[in-house]
Amino acid sequence: MRAVVCASFDDDDQLGVGELPSPDLPQGYVRIAVRAAGVNFADTLMVKGKYQVKPQLPFAPGLEAAGFVTEVSTDVDGINVGDRVMASVEHGAYAEEAVAKATNVYVIPEKMPFVEAAGFPIVYGTSHIGLVHKLRIQPGETLLVHGAAGGVGLTAVEIGKLLGARVIATAGGQDKLEIAKQYGADDLIDYRTEDIRERVKVLTDGRGADAVYDPVGGSAFDASLRAVVQGGRILVVGFASGTVPQIPANILLVKNITVIGYYWGAHRILDPDLVHGSFKELLQWYADGKLKPHVSHVYPMEDVKLAHEVLTGRKSTGKVVILTADTNKDDA
């Protein structure tokens, strides 16, 4: 099968389109004819050997796939050949075929294009469980979202508004803030030119934010400690800034702040029922027109290096997607 081939743990220059054997189909798995694959920061780390998972070389990267089911193992119920699905996989989505554990495969609405479905699982799954079950956002609360034009950040803005929160969005530059505004952000902070703590205080009449959704880390996290209310909550989602913050416990103590560490991928094992319930609600919201996934860049497999560059260079908003096969308007 045609696939993006990672032949060594090095920089993106070693990536290229080649041939790999079609993956075996273990029990409990389904085979997908992939039409599109979501691009994630984890993919850019995996091909360099810097991710917590190191597949056996050579392999195809890619954690998110969307396409048609072509084969189902004998012990799988509820998923059928021909179903249009999205799936999260350990790797292998940048290819014409992928196999996915059946519990990580979801039938998508007929009106959902594969390009949108390919970038849906990780960012929407992360924000939904993060906001509903970890931060427990309540209507009327003020939610501060960092990296608000990125993959998870933009979905946090969108879902935060659906939950009834007032959303303050931070991002670098007016163009990115405009995207956050289109997705419902009530107030905008350009961290390049504005002090996050001071602006939050002004926007909330000195009170501060009730909760913070932070996929950025670094100085954004430091500002959050001083921008939340007494008894505020901060959800640590990632470190897109490249800097892992060192948390001063004295501030947590004095302000009674709760900091929650959160890795969505672990919940597929720790609490699969929670994940399934989350996707049931998310896909219903999509079917009802309440969610509008934003994909800023779409590339063929041959341009995988460019796709990674756009993501790591922060030139994208929402999601970047790779097309893994020729598609038409009906299935793209």
Side-chain angles (χ1 to χ4, degrees):
M1 66 174 184
R2 290 180 73 250
V4 171
V5 179
C6 179
S8 64
F9 292 121
D10 204 342
D11 59 30
D12 286 343
D13 287 341
Q14 53 87 20
L15 296 176
V17 176
E19 293 288 329
L20 287 174
S22 294
D24 294 333
L25 185 72
Q27 289 293 293
Y29 280 68
V30 303
R31 187 183 305 280
I32 300 169
V34 182
R35 291 294 181 266
V39 180
N40 294 277
F41 277 104
D43 298 313
T44 70
L45 296 175
M46 188 179 292
V47 299
K48 297 182 176 97
K50 296 181 179 180
Y51 192 58
Q52 55 259 42
V53 176
K54 280 191 175 184
Q56 183 177 346
L57 296 169
F59 70 94
L63 302 175
E64 296 175 296
F68 295 101
V69 174
T70 58
E71 188 179 0
V72 179
S73 64
T74 56
D75 59 341
V76 170
D77 293 318
I79 300 173
N80 301 298
V81 171
D83 283 346
R84 301 174 74 254
V85 297
M86 65 182 187
S88 56
V89 296
E90 296 303 318
H91 61 84
Y94 296 5
E96 290 180 324
E97 291 184 10
V99 294
K101 195 171 183 179
T103 53
N104 297 329
V105 177
Y106 298 89
V107 177
I108 61 175
E110 279 300 319
K111 68 178 183 179
M112 178 182 265
F114 285 139
V115 166
E116 292 185 0
F120 194 97
I122 292 176
V123 292
Y124 277 101
T126 296
S127 289
H128 184 266
I129 289 178
L131 294 176
V132 175
H133 299 280
K134 300 296 182 179
L135 281 176
R136 299 184 182 277
I137 295 297
Q138 300 300 309
E141 287 192 311
T142 296
L143 171 66
L144 177 63
V145 177
H146 295 308
V152 291
L154 193 59
T155 57
V157 171
E158 192 177 16
I159 292 172
K161 288 303 297 179
L162 282 174
L163 297 175
R166 173 193 179 184
V167 177
I168 301 175
T170 77
Q174 290 302 312
D175 55 340
K176 292 187 176 182
L177 287 171
E178 181 58 32
I179 295 291
K181 182 179 180 180
Q182 293 173 16
Y183 275 73
D186 298 283
D187 300 287
L188 311 173
I189 299 175
D190 186 345
Y191 69 78
R192 292 178 179 174
T193 59
E194 298 177 286
D195 183 284
I196 293 174
R197 175 195 179 190
E198 293 303 319
R199 284 296 295 153
V200 170
K201 292 293 186 180
V202 168
L203 291 169
T204 60
D205 296 324
R207 182 176 181 274
D210 296 288
V212 181
Y213 184 96
D214 182 16
V216 175
S219 61
F221 179 88
D222 297 338
S224 298
L225 290 172
R226 293 162 175 80
V228 293
V229 299
Q230 288 279 341
R233 299 104 69 199
I234 300 175
L235 189 69
V236 178
V237 182
F239 313 108
S241 67
T243 301
V244 178
Q246 303 303 303
I247 303 174
N250 60 316
I251 297 179
L252 304 186
L253 184 150
V254 171
K255 293 188 69 174
N256 287 288
I257 297 171
T258 299
V259 177
I260 306 164
Y262 173 46
Y263 169 47
W264 173 79
H267 288 73
R268 293 179 297 174
I269 298 172
L270 296 174
D271 197 344
D273 289 341
L274 174 65
V275 175
H276 277 263
S278 171
F279 276 119
K280 182 178 180 180
E281 183 165 39
L282 284 167
L283 289 172
Q284 186 60 57
W285 282 350
Y286 181 93
D288 292 342
K290 296 178 180 179
L291 299 178
K292 299 178 181 178
H294 177 66
V295 178
S296 65
H297 294 77
V298 179
Y299 296 102
M301 282 199 292
E302 289 78 6
D303 289 337
V304 59
K305 289 181 281 188
L306 180 57
H308 281 196
E309 178 187 326
V310 164
L311 183 66
T312 58
R314 301 186 185 183
K315 301 173 185 175
S316 61
T317 53
K319 288 291 291 189
V320 176
V321 169
I322 289 175
L323 298 180
T324 56
D326 291 334
T327 57
N328 57 46
K329 293 181 179 179
D330 292 331
D331 66 10

